[in-house]
Amino acid sequence: MKLRYMIIGAGGVGGPVGAYLSKSGADTMLIARGKHLAVLQEHGLTLVSGENERESIPVKAIDMDGFLAAREQGAPAPDVIFVCVKGYSLADTVPFIRKAAGRDTVVIPVLNIYGTGRALQAELPELLVTDGCIYISANRIAPGVIQKHGAICRIVYGLPSHKTDHPVLQQVETDLKNAGIDPVYSPYVERDTLLKFAYVSPNAACGQYYHAKAAEMQHPGEVRDSFVRLIKEVAAIANKMGIPLESRPGELVERNLRILDALAPTASTSMQRDMEAGKQSEVDGLIYQVVRLAEQYGVDVPEYRTIAEAVKKQTENK
């Protein structure tokens, strides 16, 4: 089965996914805009990793209006749409998906914010929408250029039905493997997406509070201790939600520390980079939402509350 892929959002998440799929021979279209789009169309997407290792990969790219115009002229709909935008852009993306998708298009969101799959399912009831998330550390450093921090690139996706026999999603698994991406077609995607959130949210909160990159969190001390306390608070919320994330005490902390310690020392979260640059960020979904969930489920989260209050003051003073 030959699938047509669309990647909405060609930044630090969608850029590498689109580049790897394109390089493997998969029919892939990236949705981008502005100068970033112009560079992608003319020079391809350049991935920078390791000791300034660079690889430029030819890609197909277009903006939203251009794709919709092509659809009106009879261009085929994508079979699979990977939604790789920031959480705050999700609402603006939905109308485009409605127009771009065909009747059988499958939508796979891989955002940082927990619950975005379910939100999209409610907005797009006519389409098959999975839950999903991605493990990758990368950011756009110039138009057409993505810096990767570390080698990990894993996409987790699955259906609320817990079934893993959908032919298109099975083919996605094969295509991702062929592209060098680690796929997890999960029968327990609610747990898996919350598991990812239990890493990225503490990482973002700790990094922003201490203005720290991975290096400061990879060594014993207050920053690492704060990261651990944040993980434990998310685990407590997950238990109250009825989605336990560990089979024994301390398992989640050990897992997340392994992920953290495998990162390049220069790695940081996109939320932190956006906030430092004065841009719109995912702070609401990655930090404040945890406090709201704690209130909803009656869980005490003193570390998150301290950081949430401090981050709000940081933003108010800018």
Side-chain angles (χ1 to χ4, degrees), residues 17-312:
V17 173
Y20 292 146
L21 283 169
S22 298
K23 184 179 178 181
S24 72
D27 184 351
T28 308
M29 178 67 73
L30 281 74
I31 302 296
R33 61 186 178 184
K35 192 171 182 181
H36 187 52
L37 171 61
V39 174
L40 294 180
Q41 291 174 328
E42 186 172 355
H43 301 292
L45 189 144
T46 299
L47 291 175
V48 181
S49 59
E51 296 296 325
N52 289 321
E53 299 173 8
R54 301 173 71 92
E55 180 182 15
S56 293
I57 300 170
V59 297
K60 293 190 296 183
I62 197 169
D63 62 15
M64 289 183 176
D65 290 341
F67 184 82
L68 293 181
R71 284 282 284 140
E72 290 178 358
Q73 297 299 315
D79 297 303
V80 177
I81 297 176
F82 279 107
V83 183
C84 305
V85 300
K86 298 289 180 67
Y88 52 77
S89 297
L90 192 64
D92 295 334
T93 305
V94 169
F96 172 71
I97 295 175
R98 287 197 184 104
K99 295 177 181 178
R103 182 182 61 184
D104 298 320
T105 297
V106 176
V107 180
I108 304 176
V110 290
L111 284 73
N112 283 329
I113 309 303
Y114 177 71
T116 51
R118 299 307 168 91
L120 272 180
Q121 289 157 15
E123 291 286 342
L124 301 166
E126 70 278 12
L127 298 176
L128 181 66
V129 181
T130 74
D131 292 319
C133 61
I134 187 169
Y135 289 85
I136 189 171
S137 180
N139 62 289
R140 196 180 85 176
I141 58 174
V145 184
I146 304 295
Q147 172 82 55
K148 274 199 69 188
H149 308 275
I152 188 170
C153 186
R154 177 181 303 122
I155 292 178
V156 182
Y157 62 96
L159 295 169
S161 66
H162 300 170
K163 293 182 178 179
T164 56
D165 58 356
H166 192 282
V168 171
L169 295 178
Q170 289 175 330
Q171 185 63 47
V172 169
E173 184 177 31
T174 298
D175 290 347
L176 291 177
K177 284 182 181 177
N178 290 340
I181 299 169
D182 179 19
V184 180
Y185 182 10
S186 172
Y188 307 109
V189 73
E190 299 97 336
R191 179 183 182 275
D192 288 339
T193 53
L194 186 54
L195 191 64
K196 159 66 186 299
F197 186 75
Y199 167 76
V200 71
S201 171
N203 192 15
C206 186
Q208 179 61 29
Y209 183 65
Y210 289 98
H211 300 288
K213 294 186 178 181
E216 291 92 329
M217 302 167 70
Q218 290 168 336
H219 302 288
E222 172 57 26
V223 181
R224 191 175 179 91
D225 291 345
S226 175
F227 179 61
V228 168
R229 290 192 293 269
L230 291 164
I231 296 169
K232 291 179 178 179
E233 290 179 357
V234 176
I237 295 172
N239 286 336
K240 279 295 188 76
M241 293 173 69
I243 312 175
L245 300 180
E246 50 188 4
S247 57
R248 57 176 175 79
E251 183 180 15
L252 182 62
V253 169
E254 293 170 9
R255 173 189 180 276
N256 285 357
L257 288 177
R258 286 196 299 269
I259 295 173
L260 172 68
D261 293 343
L263 291 178
T266 56
S268 62
T269 65
S270 60
M271 185 207 80
Q272 184 182 346
R273 294 190 297 269
D274 287 341
M275 293 191 73
E276 289 174 350
K279 298 178 181 178
Q280 191 172 10
S281 77
E282 294 181 309
V283 64
D284 183 77
L286 288 176
I287 298 179
Y288 306 151
Q289 181 180 344
V290 178
V291 177
R292 293 194 295 267
L293 284 171
E295 292 173 350
Q296 179 182 348
Y297 288 94
V299 178
D300 187 28
V301 288
E303 193 77 5
Y304 264 102
R305 288 189 181 280
T306 296
I307 289 177
E309 291 172 5
V311 171
K312 283 181 180 178

